[in-house]
């Protein structure tokens, strides 16, 4: 299957998928393109290193979110995308793109959803004072960070943690969780019924 990955930043999650494909953890999948809304996203450099086409879509050249997303949709279709991965993509997607890829678009979020949606999830976790946090891979729905959950991994929140130390601990799990979830999708092992996700074995 053909995967398109949407990014805005450093791309460690993108890297984890690239590595999983290259080392055979994920078979029968190819990243056809990496799309960024930020010109200098390090994720684009990672794509280049692995000979994956990187495409920068400049938000400044579109007059509305709708027009930007129409161009995005065009690129996804040109690449015959079967699965869209959001990997640190910081733009809100319009409902049109999301419904076009219903149950075919995944996101990773650095908290145990539904706790701490939105930006700065790790900071929110520290401020709340939870003792456990982690990451969530979920299907994307129009409401932010609210789609059906595929898998979650937990980490402890330790005394003395800063936003950075907690984020780093969660990131280690993110970089395992995303390739695992993508592999389940590629192997057709995710059954989804409403909000209910079952992993087949
Ligand atoms: C990760 O923490 C991810 O959960 C969040 O944005 C960050 C992206 O990191 N959605 P990277 O660009 O994959 O390194």
């Amino acid at each position: 299957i053909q995967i398109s990955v949407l990014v805005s930043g450093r791309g460690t999650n993108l890297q984890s998928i690239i590595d999983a494909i290259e080392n055979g953890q994920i078979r029968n999948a190819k990243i056809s393109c990496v799309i960024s809304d930020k010109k200098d996203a390090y994720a684009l450099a990672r794509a280049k290193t692995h000979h994956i086409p990187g495409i920068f879509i400049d938000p400044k050249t579109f007059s509305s979110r709708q027009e930007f997303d129409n161009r995005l949709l065009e690129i996804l279709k040109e690449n015959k995308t079967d699965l869209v991965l959001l990997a640190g993509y910081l733009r809100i997607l319009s409902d049109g793109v999301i419904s076009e890829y219903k149950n075919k678009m995944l996101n990773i979020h650095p908290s145990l959803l539904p706790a701490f949606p939105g930006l700065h999830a790790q900071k929110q976790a520290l401020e709340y004072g939870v003792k456990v946090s982690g990451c969530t891979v979920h299907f994307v729905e129009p409401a932010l960070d609210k789609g059906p959950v595929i898998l979650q991994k937990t980490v402890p929140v330790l005394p003395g943690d800063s936003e950075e130390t907690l984020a780093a601990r969660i990131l280690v799990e993110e970089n395992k969780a995303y390739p695992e979830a993508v592999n389940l999708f590629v192997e057709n092992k995710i059954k989804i019924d409403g909000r209910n996700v079952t992993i087949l074995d």
Side-chain angles (χ1 to χ4, degrees):
I1 78 162
Q2 313 257 45
I3 301 175
S4 295
V5 186
L6 273 53
V7 299
S8 301
R10 72 194 157 171
T12 66
N13 283 296
L14 165 68
Q15 188 68 54
S16 74
I17 309 291
I18 293 174
D19 293 345
I21 291 172
E22 289 188 351
N23 71 26
Q25 185 196 344
I26 300 173
R27 293 160 190 248
N28 306 315
K30 182 184 167 203
I31 301 179
S32 357
C33 67
V34 171
I35 303 169
S36 175
D37 64 332
K38 296 265 165 52
K39 190 169 191 207
D40 53 5
Y42 188 61
L44 286 175
R46 295 180 191 268
K48 194 168 182 196
T49 303
H50 293 267
H51 311 288
I52 299 165
I55 302 166
F56 164 54
I57 315 180
D58 187 351
K60 286 201 291 292
T61 60
F62 298 88
S63 59
S64 65
R65 177 178 311 285
Q66 197 54 58
E67 273 187 44
F68 180 96
D69 278 6
N70 287 345
R71 178 67 192 123
L72 174 61
L73 200 51
E74 223 169 64
I75 295 172
L76 292 174
K77 288 188 170 167
E78 280 164 15
N79 282 280
K80 304 201 183 329
T81 304
D82 303 299
L83 172 65
V84 180
L85 301 179
L86 307 186
Y89 184 65
L90 293 175
R91 269 177 82 85
I92 304 275
L93 287 166
S94 53
D95 293 2
V97 183
I98 295 175
S99 58
E100 189 82 25
Y101 288 94
K102 187 172 161 67
N103 297 346
K104 292 178 181 173
M105 185 185 287
L106 311 187
N107 181 43
I108 185 153
H109 184 78
S111 76
L112 298 174
L113 291 172
F116 317 129
L119 288 175
H120 310 298
Q122 302 93 335
K123 184 160 179 258
Q124 294 182 54
L126 283 176
E127 281 171 357
Y128 194 94
V130 291
K131 302 300 183 202
V132 176
S133 192
C135 64
T136 304
V137 182
H138 64 92
F139 285 108
V140 175
E141 286 198 343
L144 185 68
D145 297 328
K146 283 204 170 152
V149 170
I150 299 169
L151 63 85
Q152 296 183 302
K153 290 191 185 289
T154 58
V155 305
V157 179
L158 299 177
D161 260 345
S162 64
E163 196 181 339
E164 290 70 30
T165 58
L166 178 58
R169 193 174 308 119
I170 292 173
L171 191 62
V172 172
E173 298 307 310
E174 290 189 46
N175 295 164
K176 295 181 205 158
Y178 219 176
E180 261 179 50
V182 169
N183 189 47
L184 291 171
F185 183 96
V186 170
E187 297 293 329
N188 221 345
K189 288 187 173 162
I190 305 178
K191 201 174 131 263
I192 173 158
D193 175 15
R195 287 205 62 80
N196 221 317
V197 172
T198 313
I199 306 300
L200 310 173
D201 55 17

